Amino acid sequence: MNSSIRRIPCDSPTTKMWNLFLLLENESTVRPFLEKKYQKIGIDQPQKVAFWTAPSLIFYVKQAREYYRAAQKSDLFVRPLLVYYGMMTLSKALMLTLDPEYPKNSSLLRHGVSTRKRKREHFRFFTDEVKAQREGLFSALAQTYGWNEIIGEKWIMQEMFALIPEIQDGYRQLFSKETLYPIALPDLSADANEGMPFIVEERILDVLHLTPQAMVNRLNNFPETEVQFSYGEKPFLKNRLLLYWHHPSVQHVDQWSLGFHHPMFREDLSGGYFLCPNVRDHTRCLPERFVHYILLFALSMLCRYEPPLWGEIIYGMISEERVLIEEFLQVTQRKFPNLILNELFEEKILFQQI
């Protein structure tokens, strides 16, 4: 996915987003859409294959729409289940565009992740743990996108919340720590050899106990990306740290849909960028659609198998976890379908409210 960004002004971003999904609910538009997808990945007889897979894609999208619509109207007590299955169904739609034989076998219908169904005494959701399994939808997505190394990995829910920009205000209030730092893209005339300039707060160096060179070294410690970073002769600008982003064929992060194209950078729904410098291992800097998958799985299992415990979390007067959970559920209902839409149409689509 290397096309530019499409910005769509609209009265209701959620409504407009789902209106674009309508293009995938009509056979006359879905068949040529799938044919192009299959041609691109070298499938034999793409037109014939698209003919057979089109109905499945249409019904995946239709069902996902209804799950999300129902979730929007539901009580928080059952909402995680509806959002989770909506998310799973959109993920299946995405998989079908990448592999026309999906699901090849029944093992691919599994969740692909697991968590302890019976929770321990004094359970806290923030410390709940999810593990990526070898088989299932999550695993298939991870392998398709080249993230094979996360199979078998475990994550706790607090570190997943830490990777979502839109909930960082609540995260800071609850944990008294900052994990994502906003990035400014100044309108500077940059030397082509220096790359694209960007600015973060200088205090990030104090928090991490790093020099500018050590910060750049940490950013460059990801060999799987073409991106490189550097700093100039004068890296400090009024309590700000000036760094440079380099790519062999792209001059600016807003000239293509991949943004910074680096695991330590995140993006919000408005197109703003954030740096997540605390994470050194890229298996902890998952793509955001995987983060949403893991969190929704854990929430849905808690909601489904432990109703009394789930009720205490969301209705109890002493539980602070509800704040972040409810905010995340609001964000994911808008953001996850947008992330899938970006993948399906192979461009970054920003819906901007007017």
Side-chain angles (χ1 to χ4, degrees), residues 158 168 171-181 278:
Q158 182 178 338
Q168 286 311 296
Y171 186 93
R172 282 194 296 270
Q173 287 294 113
L174 286 175
F175 299 110
S176 300
K177 62 189 295 187
E178 193 169 7
T179 58
L180 298 180
Y181 295 81
N278 301 297

Side-chain angles (χ1 to χ4, degrees), residues 293-324:
Y293 194 119
I294 289 168
L295 282 168
L296 285 172
F297 172 77
L299 286 169
S300 70
M301 291 298 102
L302 183 60
C303 173
R304 180 179 179 181
Y305 291 107
E306 295 278 1
L309 181 56
W310 173 238
E312 289 178 16
I313 290 174
I314 62 172
Y315 297 127
M317 298 300 292
I318 61 172
S319 174
E320 78 280 11
E321 294 180 309
R322 171 178 175 158
V323 176
L324 215 54

